[in-house]
Amino acid sequence: MIRVGRPERHSISEKWLRGAARPPLLTPVSSMRSFWGLMRAYWLSDRWVEAWTLTLVIALFTALSSKAGVWFAEASGELVNSIAFYHDAANTTPLASLLTNAGMLILLVVLKDAGFTGIRTFVSATLHRKWRGWLDSRFNEALLDTNHTHFHAQHGSSGTAAPDNIDQRVQESIKDMTGGAIGLAMGVMAVATSLYFVGRKLLETSAEVKGLEFLGSYGSAVLAFLAVAIYVPLNTWIAVKLGRLLERLNIRMQQSEGSYRGELTTFLRRSFHVAASQGENVQKTMHDRLYVDIDRTWARLNIVNTSYRSFELVYNFIGARIVAYGPGLVPYIHNRFDLKGYITGSEMVNSLISQCSWFIHVMPSIAALRANSQRVTELANAIENVQHPQEFYSLTGCSDFRYDRQNPVFGLTIQKLELTHQGEDATPFLSAANLRFRRGEWTFLKGESGCGKTSLIKAINGLWPYGRGTIVFPEGVESFYAAQEVKLQQVSLKQLVCLPGSERDYTDTQVASALHRAGLGDFIEHMADESREGMNWDQVLSGGQKQKLVVARIVLQQPGLLFLDEATGALDPEGKIAFHQAIKDNCPDVTVISIMHEAVPPRSLSGAEFYHSIVAIADGVATKKPLAPSLPVELTTILEHPRPVEERWLRFPRRMRQK
C-alpha cells in the first residue's frame, strides 16, 4: 500500500527535461561513494565531537598499551636473569628476587591486558556501535525518501547491475565493515606507538657489533631494524597475494549468502501458497540450488583460509624465535650483552615484529573490510544514481514522462501516454492518447490479464520506468495507492490505520471511527492494548480484514485520488459491495481508478452504479467511455469527446464554471 503525494521531484525532473540545469545530487550518502569517503564520513558529520572523542581515547590507551609492551620486555629480562643467576653466590636473596620479578611481570600483564587493552576494547566497541548506528540511519534516510529511492535502486542501468541483497548490505556489511575498520585503525596506531617506544628503547640499549664497528654503539639496533625491515615486508607481499584471493571469495560468499537468505525470507512470506499448491519439492529444489553456490564458495574459502593460517603460524614462529633473537646473538657471543640485556633486547624485537606484522595478522580482516566496504559503496552509488529517475532509466530505454499540476476542478489528465519495457527500440505495449478523470468520478479498468492495467496505474504514480507521456494531477490533492497484496508493518494497530502518516496526526476517536466504518469495530479495543504493540498483524488479520483495513485508512485520510489495484481480491461479493459503499459514503469527492478481476464492476445493494466510466484496454490501446447513461450531459460529453482543458472549460455553462 502506497500513498503517493506527488512530491517536488517531478517538477525538478520536468525542469531538467526542459533543459534547465540539474540540481546537485545531495543525499545522506553523497560523500560515501568511495572507500575513503565512506571511512571518513562519520568523523566529518554533525557527530564529529562524539567520533573524535572516542577515537582519541582509543589512541591514548593504544599508546599506553605499547608503552606497557616495553615494560613487559624489561620485566621478562629481569625474570629470566633472576632464574639464570638463582644459584649465583652473589645473589643473597634468590627466591625473593625470583618471586618479585614474577609478580611484577604478572602485574604488568594485568595492567596491559585487563587495564589498557580492556578499556580500549570497550571504547572501540562503543565507537563501533555509534558509527554503525549513524551509517545505518544515513542509508535508511537515503533509501526511504520521497523519491522512492528504495524502489528505483533495485533497477540496473547500462553496464551496471542493480545492487543485490540491499537488506544484507545495510545490516551485515555495514556492521562488519565498521568493526573491521576500527580494528585495523587500532593496529596502525599500535604500529606507530610501538615504533616510537620500542625503537627508542632499542637505540638506548644498543651495543657495538663486531664487524660493524663503523656503526658504533648503534650496531645491534641497526641489525634488529634491518631484520624487521627484510622479514616483515617480504612476508607482507605474500599475505597481500593471498588477501586478494580472500577478498574475491568474501564478496562471492556474501552474494551467495544474501541470495539464499533472501529466498528463505520470500518463502516464509508465501508459506501458505507453497503449502496450498503442494510446492514443497519445487521450493526445496530452489533452496538446494542456491546452497550449492554457498557450499562451493565456502570450500574454496576454507582452503585459502587454511593456507593463510598455516603461513601465519610459520611466520610467527620464525619471527618470534629466530628473527627476534638472531640480531642480538652476535653481540651476546662477543660479550657485548649480558643475558639480561640479550633477553630484553630480543623480546623488544619480538614485540616490534609482532606490532609491525599487524598487516599480515589482519589480512583476512582487510579482505573482509574491502569486501564489505565495496558492498556499501556500491549501494551508495546506486542511491546516488537514481536521484533523477528519468535520467537513470534513459540509460537503458525511453523514459520521458512529464508530471504537472492543474486546477483541481479538471481532475486527472493523461496525454499521449506510451508504456514500454527496457530497451531503446522497445515497442509500446500500451498507449493512451487522451484520458481524463474528473473530480468525484469512479473509473473501472478493464482488460485481459497482462494487458497493462497495473502498469498504467504505476505509470500514473511515477512507478513505471519506461515510456513517455504527460500526467497532469489536480493541484493540492493527495493520492492513495492500494495494491493487491497487503503487507502490514509490525507496528501498533493505530499506527497501521494512520500509515503513511504518524499516529500523532489523528486522535483515538478518529481512528476508532474509521475502523468502525470499515467493518473492523471489534478491533477498536486493541488500539491501546500494550500486549499487542508491535505485533505481527499479518498473522492476526485475515485477507479480508487486511483489505478492510485499507478502507479504514482511506476513510481516515480522505485522499482526493484513489487507486485500487485489485484491492478487493480477498473479499466475497458482499464484502466488495461493503468496501465500495464505505468509500462512497465517507469520501464523496474522491476520484477512483480501480482494477478488479470481475468483468463488470459491482453495484450497490440498491442496484445503483458505483462507477461512472470504464477504461478498456484492447490490442495495446486504452480507451475511455461512460458506463452509466444517467451521467450529467456535460460530463458525458467530456468522457466521449475529450478536448483541451481550456476549450472544455469555456464550453461549460456559466453556472458550472462558477461552481
Side-chain angles (χ1 to χ4, degrees):
M1 216 164 303
I2 307 168
R3 187 182 182 186
V4 186
R6 313 317 303 175
E8 275 298 312
R9 64 186 178 89
H10 295 299
S11 59
I12 291 174
S13 298
E14 183 184 356
K15 291 177 183 177
W16 171 73
L17 290 171
R18 292 174 178 172
R22 284 181 49 195
L25 296 177
L26 295 175
T27 71
V29 298
S30 292
S31 61
M32 307 179 201
R33 302 176 64 186
S34 64
F35 175 80
W36 290 113
L38 181 63
M39 291 297 108
R40 65 173 176 258
Y42 176 51
W43 280 262
L44 300 178
S45 70
D46 57 344
R47 304 253 300 263
W48 66 271
V49 173
E50 170 187 272
W52 283 106
T53 300
L54 292 171
T55 303
L56 291 175
V57 172
I58 292 172
L60 172 63
F61 280 94
T62 299
L64 291 174
S65 181
S66 297
K67 182 62 176 177
V70 175
W71 298 336
F72 180 84
E74 292 176 335
S76 297
E78 292 287 352
L79 179 61
V80 171
N81 190 63
S82 63
I83 294 173
F85 293 96
Y86 186 85
H87 297 290
D88 191 287
N91 190 354
T92 57
T93 57
L95 183 60
S97 177
L98 178 64
L99 294 177
T100 300
N101 289 325
M104 183 61 68
L105 189 63
I106 293 173
L107 180 62
L108 286 172
V109 169
V110 172
L111 179 65
K112 179 178 181 294
D113 294 338
F116 300 152
T117 305
I119 294 173
R120 186 186 67 169
T121 300
F122 174 77
V123 177
S124 66
T126 302
L127 178 60
H128 183 193
R129 178 171 58 86
K130 298 287 187 181
W131 186 15
R132 181 202 172 183
W134 181 81
L135 276 175
D136 186 81
S137 68
R138 296 293 85 195
F139 275 90
N140 272 287
E141 184 175 340
L143 286 166
L144 300 171
D145 59 2
T146 56
N147 186 49
H148 309 310
T149 294
H150 62 92
F151 173 78
H152 299 301
Q154 297 182 65
H155 297 79
S157 63
S158 180
T160 304
D164 63 281
N165 306 301
I166 291 177
D167 58 330
Q168 182 199 45
R169 294 171 189 252
V170 173
Q171 181 191 9
E172 294 181 6
S173 296
I174 287 179
K175 178 183 178 182
D176 293 343
M177 182 209 71
T178 49
I182 292 171
L184 293 176
M186 290 193 299
V188 174
M189 293 179 192
V191 170
T193 53
S194 290
L195 283 172
Y196 175 74
F197 290 118
V198 177
R200 194 173 75 170
K201 192 65 178 179
L202 279 174
L203 289 173
E204 290 177 358
T205 58
S206 181
E208 186 179 280
V209 177
K210 188 174 182 179
L212 298 175
E213 289 83 0
F214 64 93
L215 295 175
S217 60
Y218 294 111
S220 63
V222 170
L223 281 180
F225 290 137
L226 187 63
V228 174
I230 294 174
Y231 184 68
V232 174
L234 176 63
N235 286 276
T236 299
W237 179 81
I238 298 173
V240 168
K241 294 295 183 181
L242 292 173
R244 288 176 179 170
L245 183 56
L246 281 172
E247 179 184 344
R248 292 194 294 270
L249 290 174
N250 269 307
I251 292 175
R252 180 60 188 166
M253 192 68 175
Q254 288 185 16
Q255 293 172 338
S256 302
E257 292 279 12
S259 298
Y260 186 52
R261 186 184 67 179
E263 178 56 37
L264 287 174
T265 302
T266 304
F267 157 64
L268 292 175
R269 290 176 178 172
R270 63 176 181 229
S271 177
F272 169 77
H273 302 286
V274 172
S277 62
Q278 298 183 3
E280 283 81 3
N281 286 334
V282 175
Q283 190 70 43
K284 181 178 179 297
T285 301
M286 292 174 60
H287 291 177
D288 291 343
R289 176 173 54 81
L290 289 171
Y291 192 80
V292 164
D293 194 23
I294 293 177
D295 189 64
R296 289 174 178 172
T297 307
W298 199 354
R300 295 179 62 193
L301 194 58
N302 284 343
I303 293 172
V304 178
N305 274 325
T306 301
S307 301
Y308 194 92
R309 180 60 178 163
S310 300
F311 157 75
E312 190 177 8
L313 289 172
V314 172
Y315 170 83
N316 289 341
F317 176 80
I318 294 175
R321 293 292 174 261
I322 298 177
V323 179
Y325 281 80
L329 187 60
V330 176
Y332 177 71
I333 291 174
H334 291 90
N335 205 27
R336 301 294 185 182
F337 279 146
D338 57 12
L339 181 61
K340 173 185 171 183
Y342 175 52
I343 296 297
T344 300
S346 299
E347 285 296 322
M348 284 192 291
V349 174
N350 182 29
S351 175
L352 190 62
I353 291 174
S354 178
Q355 296 291 355
C356 292
S357 301
W358 70 273
F359 194 80
I360 294 174
H361 297 321
V362 299
M363 181 55 69
S365 299
I366 292 175
L369 171 64
R370 290 178 60 86
N372 282 305
S373 63
Q374 180 177 330
R375 304 273 289 168
V376 177
T377 54
E378 283 176 357
L379 179 57
N381 277 289
I383 290 171
E384 205 74 20
N385 290 340
V386 300
Q387 292 310 300
H388 295 283
Q390 294 198 51
E391 180 183 357
F392 172 74
Y393 291 122
S394 294
L395 298 174
T396 52
C398 173
S399 184
D400 189 16
F401 296 104
R402 296 167 62 89
Y403 294 90
D404 210 337
R405 298 280 187 173
Q406 65 184 0
N407 193 299
V409 72
F410 299 127
L412 173 69
T413 303
I414 298 172
Q415 299 172 342
K416 299 179 181 179
L417 183 70
E418 292 182 347
L419 302 185
T420 66
H421 293 294
Q422 183 174 321
E424 293 291 343
D425 301 325
T427 303
F429 65 86
L430 176 63
S431 62
N434 202 333
L435 300 178
R436 302 182 187 276
F437 305 90
R438 288 292 305 277
R439 181 171 59 185
E441 180 185 358
W442 288 43
T443 304
F444 175 64
L445 266 62
K446 181 180 180 180
E448 295 182 356
S449 179
C451 68
K453 299 187 296 294
T454 296
S455 300
L456 175 59
I457 289 184
K458 288 180 177 179
I460 294 172
N461 287 280
L463 299 175
W464 185 263
Y466 301 107
R468 59 170 59 89
T470 301
I471 297 96
V472 186
F473 275 79
E475 186 75 38
V477 173
E478 291 291 331
S479 301
F480 192 102
Y481 189 150
Q484 177 181 8
E485 188 177 11
V486 182
K487 287 296 182 184
L488 302 180
Q489 290 91 333
Q490 198 166 328
V491 295
S492 68
L493 179 60
K494 182 180 179 182
Q495 180 66 78
L496 277 179
V497 181
C498 296
L499 287 173
S502 169
E503 59 184 348
R504 294 186 297 272
D505 298 336
Y506 304 95
T507 65
D508 288 352
T509 302
Q510 289 175 311
V511 176
S513 175
L515 286 170
H516 176 73
R517 295 180 186 184
L520 294 174
D522 292 342
F523 287 88
I524 293 175
E525 62 181 303
H526 298 305
M527 282 200 309
D529 188 348
E530 294 183 359
S531 64
R532 290 176 176 254
E533 185 78 17
M535 71 182 308
N536 192 344
W537 289 97
D538 258 331
Q539 299 177 5
V540 175
L541 301 178
S542 66
Q545 288 172 332
K546 291 178 186 178
Q547 295 188 330
K548 289 180 180 179
L549 185 63
V550 174
V551 178
R553 288 177 173 175
I554 296 169
V555 170
L556 178 67
Q557 298 173 31
Q558 294 287 305
L561 273 173
L562 177 59
F563 300 92
L564 302 176
D565 187 358
E566 299 186 12
T568 59
L571 298 174
D572 56 22
E574 292 78 10
K576 291 177 182 179
I577 293 174
F579 183 101
H580 285 79
Q581 192 66 56
I583 297 173
K584 179 71 82 173
D585 293 342
N586 295 283
C587 305
D589 295 326
V590 66
T591 300
V592 179
I593 301 176
S594 176
I595 300 173
M596 285 179 287
H597 289 298
E598 290 77 4
V600 294
R603 297 181 177 181
S604 69
L605 292 175
S606 64
E609 296 282 1
F610 287 118
Y611 290 86
H612 306 119
S613 56
I614 289 180
V615 171
I617 300 177
D619 298 324
V621 179
T623 56
K624 187 168 180 281
K625 61 182 180 180
L627 176 65
S630 58
L631 287 172
V633 64
E634 295 87 359
L635 184 57
T636 303
T637 302
I638 291 169
L639 296 175
E640 292 179 338
H641 306 288
R643 295 182 175 85
V645 172
E646 296 81 3
E647 180 183 347
R648 190 173 77 245
W649 179 246
L650 292 173
R651 291 175 63 89
F652 270 21
R654 183 180 297 274
R655 60 182 178 83
M656 294 293 291
R657 281 184 281 164
Q658 289 173 346
K659 291 183 180 180

